[in-house]
Amino acid sequence: MRLDLAAETVEIRIWSYSSERNGFWKPATELYRNFNGTVTKPIPASWHLSPLESPTGGEETGDGVAGPKPATFAVPIAYKDLMLGQYSDLDAYFSKDKAGKLNLEQVFVSLETGWREPDKNRERRLAGKRGADSQADEAEEPEKPQPQPCENLCRHPTYRHFVLAGKPGSGKSTLLRYLVVSRLHREPDLLPLHLPLRDMQAWLNRKKGHAGSHILDWAADTYGSHGIDRVFLERHTGQGKILWLLDGLDEIFDLSLRLRAAKIIGNWFTSNQGRGDRLILTTRPHALEQARILGNLALPDTRASILPLSEPLQEAFLSHWFLGLYGPTRKKTADEKKQALWHLLEGRPDPDPFRDNPLMLSVLAIIFYNGKTLPERRADLYEQAVDMLLTQRFGPNEKDGSIEKVEQIMRGLGLVARRLLERGRASDVGCHDFQTWFTEGYGRGKHGDQEDVTPLIRELGNHSGLLTQSGDGQPRYAFAHLTFQEYLAARSYAKDREPSKLLRERLGVGTWREVVLLTAGCLFALGADFRGQDFIRGIFACCGDGDTSAVGLSLAMEAMAEAPNHIDLHEDIQKSKALTLAILGNRDSQVPEAARDALGLALGKLGDPRLGVVKPERWVWIPLGRFTMGRNDGDKDEQPEHEVEVDRGFFLGKYPVTNEEYRAFVEADGYGDARWWSRLGRSWLEKEAEGVKTPELWEDRAFNGANQPVVGVSWFEAEAYCNWLGAVLEKNRPGGWAGTPRVYMPSEIQWEYAARGSAGRRHPWGEQEPDEMVANYEGRLGRTSAVGIYPRGATPEGLLDMAGNVWEWCRTRYEGKAYALSTQERESLIIEEIDQSACLRGGSWSYGARGLPAACRLWFWAGGRFDLVGFRCCCVAGPSAEP
């Protein structure tokens, strides 16, 4: 008899004695037909041997209160040994004299996500709408979202299935491996089942359909020999006992197979059996932009993103890394090295795209450890890292090594990387294909003969740090990280005569985005004969005309933004800006939202010519008039509809204030200059925001693009900016303006009048219902967009982003019964105490369509700083000749 606590079964083997050949025992297969001598039955409950029996003691829950310790799970020993053997240590190649492993649990630093639980009552709670007699000071301040460790997603009490998106090198795969190792090194409360999705691609080619149960077949095929077979999975799925860790949806390169994989995953985790399990599915963001992917996954409320490493986490990362390198006995040396590197990093441009990315930061640490100069560009960083890893094994100081040999190896690996990507494969490759491709790229030996590269390939597989090798007789090889594969492929393309033609068909494929950008980076590098310009122009030529040019154009612009300063790209930059503005300004354009978003952000990196507060075109004149305010079908504080007279025209900002425009205020010591701050504003600074010098999300790369709306600013910061801007415009008055400019946030009446016009439009653009062509809302982009990328959402007067993107502060204090007051009384509703609330209008990137109608009212505490709130400026200064 054998007990299998993992499977919760008892296996009874029945033997019979045979007197033949001097007698022996054998399985009793003769008892009845098809009987194999073994009986497997569930463990009887009366035996009290369930692996889910809760041990005594407690563990701290999320709120710090000791609660019952989670039940443990008996993991099959073979699977546990396999996972711990593969993932407990990170291979590390520090220098030619230092190669080894870093313990994953010792060096791991928690990644953070900004995901917040969807609140079914969020709209009413944020609006503070509690009935007709609602008062702003009666409602609670909306909870401010806080970053949380990604590991928390695995134990969320309500939501069990998450899609976790992260940029290249953000630590997605390392996080999943940590979740496996950290659980298996203790008695786990559930089974962490790790499955790289790149391996699913070949499996799907052999399997038809998209039944949810296919995921069980795939898992059983992968780990059946290690105790995770179909019987085991059928027994345990649906009971909250399995944590599915599906890594790299983007690494299924075949788009049709990726859709099938997403459908299988969605079907399983929405099924009665699968919904009880837990899921973390990782991917690069571009895979989620593929048509029908999100619908197939069926996970609308649990799409999370990995945040860039904050400064505290960056420091912690380096501390752990150097301590893992030097060991606890040399902690002082580790601390000194970490501090020296940190000092160098603090002196680099801010924000530094290398510091907040775990892979980049680890490569910087290795380069620093080897005494090299820290590079400023990604392509240079990867070049140094790859060169260093290869030189320490095959460079001039090694037997039979040379600089030429290192270059030959790079060429060989580059061609392998290319061939894998061109064939839609990111997984491993057999030794025959690998050797064929590598030999072609490697070329002939130093004596002109074709050398046998088999030993060299074995050495690369075992000791380079760039490849992993599996199997002995006929080994298979894979790149240790997709990012290095992409760089080596890009380096290979850069060596070709016309790389833009080779990549022509790949420009619109999200999987190839990094390769295209890194190819440009390689061509822009010193010593590349300045071929970067030719590559950019080649991309322009490949783009074609009209809507199809958007993706390639945004790639070209991103590449130019990373070019070294000594390369003159002025003509190309001006051309790209003109093309971009033509696309973003075309109301009839069919360019998808994601492509417009990429174009807008790329324009911001090169310098958005639309911005500039002293430009007349940055403002829109709104003449005096009458309009219908409110709506009878809205919330109580939006009723009733009524006529309002606006007795004076005004200028309103064409877009919300952007980060670039707000930066001028910051750099002019706006936070330190008391002239711009009202009495209440100074009180807020002293009591609520001591030491504040920038907006809340000023360093967050998801929100700090030059032409994204500034967010994380309180009403008082917006007021100070307007006061400062008034002084700026008085000295630098836009052409055509007369009088002394007075700048402030628009009142509620001014804002709604500008959005609705005298015609009383329901939405800024008119009566039709909203979609992705008119506004950034419902969290589709996961953040703010660049301003002005929704031309169909413009008002007839030319205002943009009046719906979606960010809620906009109004200078009016919120009053639930405001519409019972006269126009004059409403205009006198001002913020008089720092704990009062101000009106907000327009909806935001994270809010639903309900917030987009021009009559919709919302409010926040005036001192609040949120990622969905910005502002635009209003100016009273009559034009010299009214339109």
Side-chain angles (χ1 to χ4, degrees):
M1 184 175 72
R2 184 173 70 89
L3 293 174
D4 186 341
L5 294 181
E8 299 181 35
T9 59
V10 55
E11 179 185 281
I12 303 172
R13 181 163 293 183
I14 303 173
W15 300 82
S16 62
Y17 183 78
S18 173
S19 59
E20 297 178 0
R21 292 180 292 175
N22 298 322
F24 62 93
W25 289 94
K26 64 182 181 66
T29 57
E30 71 278 4
L31 292 181
Y32 53 85
R33 183 178 297 175
N34 297 326
F35 178 58
N36 64 2
T38 300
V39 176
T40 301
K41 295 289 186 181
I43 296 175
S46 60
W47 289 15
H48 302 294
L49 293 177
S50 170
L52 298 179
E53 184 177 354
S54 298
T56 58
E59 91 170 7
E60 191 173 282
T61 58
D63 57 5
V65 179
K69 195 169 184 177
T72 58
F73 187 95
V75 178
I77 297 299
Y79 176 76
K80 180 176 181 179
D81 290 345
L82 176 69
M83 292 293 100
L84 293 181
Q86 286 184 345
Y87 299 140
S88 290
D89 297 314
L90 299 173
D91 289 325
Y93 294 83
F94 309 108
S95 69
K96 93 176 207 179
D97 301 319
K98 181 75 174 177
K101 296 181 181 295
L102 295 175
N103 183 275
L104 175 57
E105 289 186 276
Q106 289 178 2
V107 302
F108 182 78
V109 172
S110 291
L111 304 176
E112 291 181 327
T113 178
W115 180 84
R116 53 190 168 195
E117 179 176 346
D119 187 344
K120 302 305 181 183
N121 298 312
R122 182 168 182 260
E123 294 184 0
R124 297 189 64 81
R125 179 174 61 80
L126 291 181
K129 296 176 179 178
R130 298 181 172 182
D133 57 348
S134 170
Q135 297 294 325
D137 54 5
E138 294 177 0
E140 297 179 5
E141 175 195 344
E143 181 182 356
K144 181 178 177 181
Q146 294 291 337
Q148 60 173 313
C150 292
E151 303 94 280
N152 287 0
L153 301 180
C154 299
R155 49 180 178 267
H156 195 277
T158 305
Y159 293 90
R160 309 178 70 83
H161 311 138
F162 289 88
V163 176
L164 185 60
K167 294 181 178 180
S170 60
K172 303 179 294 294
S173 297
T174 302
L175 169 67
L176 296 197
R177 292 168 186 175
Y178 171 78
L179 292 175
V180 171
V181 171
S182 61
R183 277 165 168 72
L184 295 184
H185 270 150
R186 56 181 169 81
E187 291 184 333
D189 54 333
L190 70 172
L191 170 69
L193 189 56
H194 183 268
L195 290 158
L197 285 166
R198 67 182 184 183
D199 297 336
M200 192 184 199
Q201 179 163 301
W203 187 88
L204 284 173
N205 281 320
R206 306 190 301 269
K207 195 81 171 181
K208 295 182 178 180
H210 41 68
S213 59
H214 281 0
I215 199 168
L216 302 185
D217 296 332
W218 175 47
D221 287 352
T222 303
Y223 294 123
S225 61
H226 295 86
I228 312 290
D229 57 17
R230 183 62 189 258
V231 174
F232 176 94
L233 292 168
E234 289 282 5
R235 178 178 296 277
H236 292 292
T237 52
Q239 303 177 45
K241 300 178 184 178
I242 296 182
L243 168 61
W244 295 83
L245 301 171
L246 306 184
D247 189 18
L249 180 65
D250 58 289
E251 295 189 38
I252 301 179
F253 284 0
D254 185 299
L255 300 185
S256 62
L257 291 180
R258 186 189 294 164
L259 278 174
R260 276 188 61 207
K263 188 67 174 177
I264 290 168
I265 293 167
N267 285 345
W268 174 251
F269 288 102
T270 55
S271 69
N272 289 332
Q273 192 174 3
R275 66 167 53 100
D277 295 341
R278 290 191 176 272
L279 164 70
I280 302 289
L281 166 69
T282 67
T283 182
R284 290 186 182 180
H286 71 77
L288 300 180
E289 297 171 3
Q290 182 182 344
R292 307 203 314 276
I293 278 286
L294 290 173
N296 284 1
L297 288 172
L299 299 172
D301 295 326
T302 52
R303 179 179 168 186
S305 297
I306 297 176
L307 297 176
L309 287 179
S310 62
E311 281 203 8
L313 287 181
Q314 292 168 23
E315 277 207 84
F317 181 96
L318 292 176
S319 294
H320 291 193
W321 193 91
F322 279 108
L323 187 61
L325 170 61
Y326 286 101
T329 60
R330 300 182 63 191
K331 186 177 185 303
K332 182 178 179 181
T333 302
D335 289 343
E336 290 173 349
K337 286 287 187 181
K338 170 259 168 181
Q339 200 57 43
L341 175 56
W342 186 248
H343 178 72
L344 282 177
L345 293 177
E346 286 186 312
R348 289 165 65 89
D350 193 30
D352 187 340
F354 295 162
R355 281 172 50 180
D356 60 15
N357 181 286
L359 176 65
M360 297 285 201
L361 193 55
S362 64
V363 173
L364 284 176
I366 294 173
I367 291 173
F368 174 78
Y369 175 80
N370 283 273
K372 305 282 187 179
T373 302
L374 299 184
E376 301 290 339
R377 299 167 57 252
R378 286 195 311 155
D380 298 335
L381 176 67
Y382 290 137
E383 178 72 14
Q384 280 200 29
V386 173
D387 180 74
M388 183 184 64
L389 291 172
L390 293 176
T391 299
Q392 67 191 21
R393 290 280 173 182
F394 308 104
N397 294 329
E398 302 301 309
K399 183 181 179 181
D400 298 326
S402 65
I403 295 174
E404 292 75 18
K405 185 170 185 177
V406 170
E407 176 60 31
Q408 283 185 282
I409 293 172
M410 284 192 183
R411 290 202 303 266
L413 291 175
L415 191 59
V416 173
R418 275 177 64 170
R419 294 290 184 260
L420 281 172
L421 291 170
E422 288 165 356
R423 285 159 174 74
R425 295 160 63 185
S427 57
D428 59 357
V429 59
C431 62
H432 178 268
D433 284 345
F434 188 99
Q435 183 161 333
T436 300
W437 299 335
F438 182 84
T439 301
E440 181 184 349
Y442 182 82
R444 296 188 175 273
K446 60 183 178 181
H447 301 299
D449 54 338
Q450 186 65 64
E451 64 180 272
D452 180 10
V453 295
T454 303
L456 174 59
I457 292 174
R458 292 293 183 103
E459 178 77 1
L460 287 168
N462 286 306
H463 301 296
S464 69
L466 296 172
L467 299 176
T468 60
Q469 176 180 318
S470 59
D472 293 321
Q474 294 292 320
R476 299 185 68 82
Y477 299 94
F479 284 92
H481 198 287
L482 179 59
T483 303
F484 283 113
Q485 179 180 347
E486 289 168 330
Y487 170 71
L488 286 164
R491 194 179 188 274
S492 179
Y493 280 114
K495 298 290 183 182
D496 275 302
R497 186 181 300 274
E498 294 184 283
S500 60
K501 290 186 177 180
L502 293 172
L503 292 168
R504 174 186 312 208
E505 303 301 324
R506 323 281 187 183
L507 296 180
V509 183
T511 306
W512 284 80
R513 179 179 179 277
E514 288 298 308
V515 176
V516 174
L517 292 176
L518 288 169
T519 300
C522 292
L523 290 167
F524 279 131
L526 288 174
D529 299 325
F530 304 105
R531 294 174 58 214
Q533 297 101 314
D534 294 335
F535 183 68
I536 295 297
R537 291 160 188 163
I539 292 179
F540 284 151
C542 295
C543 289
D545 298 322
D547 300 336
T548 58
S549 66
V551 176
L553 179 57
S554 66
L555 284 172
M557 295 169 72
E558 287 194 58
M560 286 189 284
E562 293 188 16
N565 293 331
H566 67 274
I567 295 180
D568 182 10
L569 293 171
H570 176 76
E571 181 181 336
D572 303 288
I573 289 174
Q574 294 306 116
K575 177 182 177 181
S576 68
K577 288 182 179 181
L579 291 171
T580 298
L581 293 176
I583 292 173
L584 296 183
N586 182 4
R587 292 179 61 92
D588 298 324
S589 171
Q590 298 299 317
V591 173
E593 180 181 42
R596 294 197 314 274
D597 176 56
L599 268 181
L601 294 177
L603 182 63
K605 292 179 180 179
L606 292 178
D608 192 334
R610 302 173 299 170
L611 307 184
V613 290
V614 300
K615 295 179 178 180
E617 61 270 24
R618 179 65 177 81
W619 301 85
V620 174
W621 174 250
I622 308 296
L624 57 80
R626 291 182 63 85
F627 79 107
T628 300
M629 190 170 187
R631 53 177 177 169
N632 292 332
D633 60 350
D635 286 324
K636 291 183 179 179
D637 64 348
E638 298 164 5
Q639 300 176 18
E641 293 181 1
H642 56 287
E643 293 292 312
V644 174
E645 180 84 29
V646 178
D647 59 7
R648 184 173 186 180
F650 56 92
F651 284 104
L652 194 61
K654 189 172 187 177
Y655 319 104
V657 175
T658 64
N659 288 306
E660 177 182 310
E661 292 163 337
Y662 196 87
R663 182 178 295 278
F665 170 70
V666 172
E667 293 178 348
D669 192 28
Y671 281 85
D673 194 331
R675 291 179 296 169
W676 317 130
W677 295 83
S678 65
R679 176 187 59 81
L680 283 179
R682 290 194 298 273
S683 179
W684 174 80
L685 276 176
E686 294 167 1
K687 295 180 180 180
E688 305 289 342
E690 185 178 359
V692 164
K693 296 294 182 183
T694 58
E696 176 77 11
L697 297 163
W698 198 240
E699 304 297 336
D700 190 329
R701 292 173 63 197
F703 295 94
N704 68 2
N707 57 358
Q708 288 176 274
V710 64
V711 293
V713 286
S714 69
W715 185 93
F716 301 107
E717 289 166 283
E719 179 192 44
Y721 176 88
C722 289
N723 292 336
W724 168 83
L725 181 58
V728 170
L729 292 180
E730 188 172 357
K731 294 180 180 179
N732 303 278
R733 192 170 299 145
W737 285 27
T740 300
R742 289 187 292 117
V743 180
Y744 39 71
M745 289 169 279
S747 68
E748 252 201 313
I749 290 175
Q750 287 173 319
W751 194 99
E752 187 168 336
Y753 175 50
R756 303 187 75 171
S758 57
R761 300 179 293 267
R762 176 173 177 80
H763 295 101
W765 57 85
E767 302 304 314
Q768 64 268 35
E769 291 303 308
D771 58 27
E772 70 278 1
M773 301 302 288
V774 297
N776 176 14
Y777 67 105
E778 288 187 334
R780 288 189 308 273
L781 297 179
R783 50 163 173 73
T784 57
S785 67
V787 298
I789 70 167
Y790 296 91
R792 292 192 199 177
T795 68
E797 296 78 17
L799 294 169
L800 287 149
D801 292 18
M802 291 291 282
N805 221 4
V806 289
W807 287 104
E808 298 178 14
W809 288 117
C810 294
R811 72 172 182 270
T812 311
R813 187 181 80 240
Y814 177 80
E815 168 60 56
K817 298 179 180 179
Y819 290 2
L821 304 175
S822 68
T823 301
Q824 186 175 359
E825 287 174 317
R826 272 189 262 171
E827 291 289 22
S828 65
L829 291 173
I830 60 174
I831 299 294
E832 297 174 318
E833 302 292 339
I834 62 173
D835 60 354
Q836 289 180 329
S837 298
C839 293
L840 288 169
R841 290 303 192 101
S844 80
W845 62 269
S846 67
Y847 214 72
R850 184 175 178 273
L852 301 183
C856 179
R857 304 181 73 205
L858 195 72
W859 63 266
F860 280 165
W861 169 51
R865 311 170 92 209
F866 307 100
D867 63 0
L868 64 164
V869 177
F871 69 102
R872 78 176 70 210
C873 295
C874 174
C875 182
V876 176
S880 57
E882 292 190 13

